[in-house]
Amino acid sequence: MKKYNVCIVGGGSTYTLGFLKSFARMQEEFPLNKLVLFDID
């Protein structure tokens, strides 16, 4: 099965928690190889 690399630009946003919960819930349908959170200082 293919695994995906995902980069979330704006990783310090309040929306990021929702994205992370969704990724955790959808592990079988959308497996992740790498998850990177990127934001400015």
Side-chain angles (χ1 to χ4, degrees), residues 13-41:
S13 170
T14 57
Y15 296 104
T16 304
L17 182 58
F19 285 125
L20 296 178
K21 286 181 180 180
S22 296
F23 285 134
R25 190 172 46 242
M26 297 179 61
Q27 283 181 1
E28 291 183 19
E29 298 87 12
F30 195 79
L32 294 179
N33 183 44
K34 184 190 290 187
L35 176 64
V36 177
L37 303 177
F38 178 79
D39 209 328
I40 59 174
D41 288 338

